Amino acid sequence: MRRVVLPEIGTFEAWRDEARALLGAGVPPEEVLWNRGAAEADLFAEALPPVRGGAVTVPKGFVDLARLVVWHRDPERFARLYALLWALGHDRRLLEDRGDPRVDRLRRMAKEVSRDRHKMTAFVRFREIGDPAATRRRFAAWFEPSHYILELAAPFFAKRFGDMDWSIFTPDLTAHFDGFEIRFAPAEARPDLPDDAAEELWRTYFRNIFNPARLKVGAMQAEMPKKYWRNLPEAPLIPELIAEAQSRAQAMAEAAPSLPPIRAERITERLRAPEAPVPVGDREALLTGLAGCRRCPLWQNATQPVAGEGPLDAALMIVGEQPGDQEDLAGRPFVG
């Protein structure tokens, strides 16, 4: 029995090289035990000299699959990948068989890793830890992913926040970026990050864009699972906003006009008339068209459309995510 211990940093490249050598040397899956990081001695495995196999080729789809699966937390992920790699040597089309349990299991693992990476890019919250007056500001964040995805997700943050130095700490690994390269280091204890004055502004914004009439708790928790709440500054507001949603929505309904507004007659006339393109620069025609729009169901729970304001040739445009309850009642943006 051969034991392979993979490093915690550069795991994919290490697994790829080991799997390539084992496959080229004809070592079957049942003769290999895989571990990541410091592994305890195994009575049935021994660290044999590295094998030197010949060149092997695999479908590109398998490489893409392995680049995700190696970061899964399942301790059998390396063995499962190598078993499929071995099987592909006998059936090159096996990867296309979605009904094969080996392929199905690995694809589901890859999907879980990909989803976890997406959640990390959405829910990491940086706090400033350096001198705000410095040429390059420095930030840090703590995040608890479901899988070992920091090495996979770090390039996104380097591209997105390339103008600042940052560190991301997780229970498994740490990443540091200095503007030129990403450096990975062993995991550290959760740092004591300072309070961020901008978080209060963010909570104010979050509270004001929360529309109780469109609340769907199940959908919200599917996109923002509770496991991430303890590291989000807006999370303490969520239970209160959910509890108040029904009464706030009822208040919005009661505040709505009891009689059809004057514009209803214009909307009715427009619906009877054939559609015509809105002339460029004709604001009145734009507002009329917006008021009568029924191309999606968003109008059903709204009191009225909320159009933009300002000159049509403005050099700067501010786009809001959605009208809040005060904007919906007033018909004007950014008044909540």
Side-chain angles (χ1 to χ4, degrees), residues 136-170:
R136 285 181 62 84
R137 301 169 69 184
R138 180 163 182 77
F139 296 79
W142 169 263
F143 188 74
E144 301 174 28
S146 299
H147 304 286
Y148 304 107
I149 60 167
L150 180 58
E151 193 169 342
L152 181 66
F156 165 84
F157 294 98
K159 182 178 180 180
R160 178 66 179 82
F161 303 109
D163 61 338
M164 69 185 197
D165 298 338
W166 51 258
S167 297
I168 299 178
F169 300 88
T170 75

Side-chain angles (χ1 to χ4, degrees), residues 147-320:
H147 304 286
Y148 304 107
I149 60 167
L150 180 58
E151 193 169 342
L152 181 66
F156 165 84
F157 294 98
K159 182 178 180 180
R160 178 66 179 82
F161 303 109
D163 61 338
M164 69 185 197
D165 298 338
W166 51 258
S167 297
I168 299 178
F169 300 88
T170 75
D172 309 302
L173 198 65
T174 303
H176 303 285
F177 180 71
D178 60 3
F180 298 98
E181 63 178 356
I182 304 171
R183 178 174 55 86
F184 295 99
E188 302 179 23
R190 178 172 181 169
D192 185 16
L193 300 177
D195 293 334
D196 190 333
E199 290 184 0
E200 186 59 36
L201 178 62
W202 168 251
R203 282 189 285 267
T204 300
Y205 169 75
F206 184 82
R207 178 184 289 277
N208 280 276
I209 66 169
F210 187 87
N211 191 334
R214 296 177 180 175
L215 173 64
K216 294 183 179 179
V217 177
M220 183 189 69
Q221 292 186 357
E223 293 301 318
M224 185 190 291
K226 283 189 173 182
K227 63 167 290 184
Y228 301 112
W229 287 16
R230 57 182 172 181
N231 294 319
L232 298 177
E234 66 270 27
L237 301 176
I238 296 177
E240 176 189 354
L241 292 173
I242 293 177
E244 296 176 348
Q246 184 173 359
S247 59
R248 289 180 61 193
Q250 181 64 31
M252 290 172 59
E254 293 174 354
S258 58
L259 297 175
I262 299 176
R263 66 177 183 279
E265 183 177 351
R266 297 199 304 267
I267 295 174
T268 304
E269 293 176 354
R270 180 184 178 280
L271 292 176
R272 294 196 186 110
E275 292 190 7
V278 177
V280 177
D282 189 339
R283 181 174 178 80
E284 186 62 30
L286 175 63
L287 295 176
T288 301
L290 182 62
C293 181
R294 298 294 185 270
R295 296 179 181 177
C296 75
L298 291 178
W299 63 273
Q300 295 178 349
N301 295 322
T303 304
Q304 59 186 313
V306 180
E309 297 182 3
L312 298 180
D313 59 348
L316 176 67
M317 178 172 65
I318 299 177
V319 181

Side-chain angles (χ1 to χ4, degrees), residues 68 109-119 149 152:
L68 293 174
M109 292 170 66
K111 186 175 181 179
E112 291 167 5
V113 170
S114 182
R115 177 178 175 81
D116 199 33
R117 174 177 58 178
H118 172 71
K119 295 303 179 187
I149 60 167
L152 181 66

